[in-house]
Amino acid sequence: MTENAWTRWPSREALGRAGTPRPRRLLAWIVRLLTLALLLWGAFAQRQVGVWGTLAAAAGVLVAGLVAWAFFHTTYQHRLVPSLLLIAVLLAIAVTAEASGFTGPALLLWCGCGVAALERLPLGAAAPVTSVALASYSAFNNDVWLTTAATVAGMALAGYVLRLDAEARGSAQRLLAQERAARAAEAESAALAERARIAREIHDVLAHSLSAQLVHLEAARLLIENGAERERILERVVAARGMARDGLAETRQALSALRGELTPLEDFLTELVSTADGAEVTVTGERRPLPAEASQAVRRVAQEALTNVRKHAQGAKVAVRLDYSEHEVTLNVRDSGGRPGELDGAGGGYGLLGMRERAELLGGSLDAGPDKEGFVVTLKVPV
């Protein structure tokens, strides 16, 4: 054995009662009660004692019980010096009992001290204590030497087996605690991931809806400042109201997505481009349901791309292509180019950046840039 094995305490899980099956706890109490009964029987059955002898014997049994309880308490706290002092008191009580003629209780105390020391103390301290206790038992036991040797060996083996069993139970308790902690950490991580997902969805909905409203409201402001006709101003205000209505619809859709109630992606794209002049949708590959995160990424990128077309390429024709391949889905939004909108420079330019971050979180990619005629946004998401 290594030095640590001699100086290491049994774990608190091993010394405690947690994880002990109920039948075993019941058995432990039965053993304690039998031990107490044997002590009392040994104290009073061997010879007639007077009143003072009876009181002294009862006091000795009571003190031994209290000291044993204190010994179990200090060993649980891994306090070596108090534990050794307490077990020394128990050994002294046994010597006193033997000197007073109570051989049975003395032998029982020596055996109990030897077993308890092996079970609850570091081996470096338990070995000498057990040796003293069992040697005292051997010296004062009246059985033949072979029976005494067998009893001593059995007591030592029983103490060590109890120690190993307690350590195994303690290890099981630690593993169980670690597993519970891991599950709690996993649940917390899942909750944080879900919160982040909800935050992204709400951000995307608000960013898209409010950005679109801002385009029309800012255009209405410019028209008012330039003294434009009432009909043109009203057209922008009505468009902003429509964007607000669409934003509410998108919010409801995002909440449905969080509950797993997504409409088919192809239907969503068809409905989305129906509000844009000169836009069409093409779907290729074998259609199949996508994970919620991937489906939401495709929807948000399509919305953001069409919003950018309205802002920066009015009158452009838009081709939306959704391609299902074996390991990924690709969304391609291409416009033919057009005149800049009245708010060509409006917005902070963070829409596509947010979409790119969303795609990268899913292990995909997003490319956006000018083409020969217009602008192209390409999203690839693994599925």
Side-chain angles (χ1 to χ4, degrees):
M1 294 185 181
T2 63
E3 182 181 356
N4 287 335
W6 286 99
T7 58
R8 185 176 63 244
W9 281 87
S11 65
R12 290 193 174 184
E13 293 84 1
L15 296 176
R17 292 179 295 178
T20 304
R22 185 174 180 181
R24 183 162 181 174
R25 291 199 299 269
L26 180 60
L27 179 61
W29 277 108
I30 292 174
V31 171
R32 293 188 184 103
L33 291 176
L34 286 176
T35 302
L36 180 61
L38 287 173
L39 284 172
L40 293 174
W41 178 82
F44 305 126
Q46 291 186 358
R47 62 188 177 93
Q48 295 295 326
V49 294
V51 176
W52 292 108
T54 300
L55 292 176
V61 172
L62 179 61
V63 170
L66 292 175
V67 173
W69 176 86
F71 171 76
F72 276 72
H73 186 68
T74 55
T75 53
Y76 179 77
Q77 295 180 334
H78 292 177
R79 298 169 60 190
L80 183 60
V81 174
S83 299
L84 292 177
L85 291 176
L86 289 169
I87 203 166
V89 171
L90 286 175
L91 292 174
I93 292 174
V95 172
T96 303
E98 172 63 29
S100 303
F102 297 103
T103 303
L107 296 177
L108 188 61
L109 281 175
W110 280 321
C111 289
C113 287
V115 172
L118 275 177
E119 181 184 4
R120 304 186 67 87
L121 290 174
L123 286 178
V129 172
T130 300
S131 299
V132 171
L134 295 182
S136 301
Y137 171 86
S138 302
F140 292 97
N141 188 29
N142 294 326
D143 291 335
V144 296
W145 71 268
L146 186 59
T147 302
T148 301
T151 302
V152 168
M155 290 295 104
L157 181 62
Y160 192 67
V161 168
L162 287 174
R163 180 190 188 90
L164 295 178
D165 180 71
E167 283 287 12
R169 177 167 49 84
S171 298
Q173 286 298 305
R174 288 194 298 274
L175 289 175
L176 181 60
Q178 292 173 2
E179 182 179 358
R180 288 174 178 170
R183 288 181 179 178
E186 183 178 354
E188 183 178 359
S189 176
L192 292 175
E194 184 64 13
R195 290 176 187 175
R197 177 190 170 195
I198 293 173
R200 287 197 303 271
E201 295 300 332
I202 293 175
H203 170 269
D204 291 344
V205 168
L206 292 178
H208 175 263
S209 175
L210 295 179
S211 175
Q213 293 177 55
L214 178 63
V215 169
H216 292 287
L217 291 175
E218 188 68 12
R221 184 187 68 81
L222 293 175
L223 289 173
I224 292 173
E225 290 180 353
N226 295 329
E229 297 179 355
R230 179 177 180 276
E231 288 75 12
R232 293 183 61 190
I233 299 173
L234 181 61
E235 178 184 353
R236 289 297 183 178
V237 174
V238 170
R241 185 187 65 176
M243 290 299 173
R245 184 173 58 248
D246 293 342
L248 291 176
E250 290 176 13
T251 301
R252 287 192 292 269
Q253 186 180 49
L255 294 176
S256 298
L258 293 173
R259 293 193 296 263
E261 302 171 358
L262 286 170
T263 58
L265 182 57
E266 297 80 9
D267 296 343
F268 173 83
L269 293 177
T270 300
E271 183 179 355
L272 182 65
V273 301
S274 65
T275 61
D277 296 333
E280 60 180 13
V281 176
T282 304
V283 180
T284 60
E286 183 180 353
R287 303 185 184 187
R288 62 183 183 276
L290 300 178
E293 284 287 330
S295 179
Q296 282 296 93
V298 173
R299 294 164 196 258
R300 296 293 174 235
V301 169
Q303 287 178 324
E304 182 66 29
L306 290 178
T307 297
N308 287 339
V309 170
R310 295 190 190 100
K311 290 171 62 175
H312 308 301
Q314 289 187 4
K317 293 183 178 181
V318 182
V320 179
R321 181 183 180 90
L322 182 65
D323 178 57
Y324 291 95
S325 61
E326 184 178 358
H327 300 295
E328 68 180 10
V329 61
T330 302
L331 174 71
N332 185 277
V333 181
R334 181 188 302 271
D335 67 70
S336 61
R339 67 182 186 278
E342 295 168 319
L343 297 177
D344 180 50
Y350 297 116
L352 290 177
L353 177 61
M355 293 300 101
R356 180 174 290 109
E357 292 175 352
R358 176 190 281 263
E360 291 174 352
L361 285 174
L362 297 175
S365 63
L366 184 140
D367 296 318
D371 194 25
K372 295 179 180 179
E373 297 180 352
F375 199 83
V376 180
V377 177
T378 303
L379 169 70
K380 294 184 179 181
V381 180
V383 295

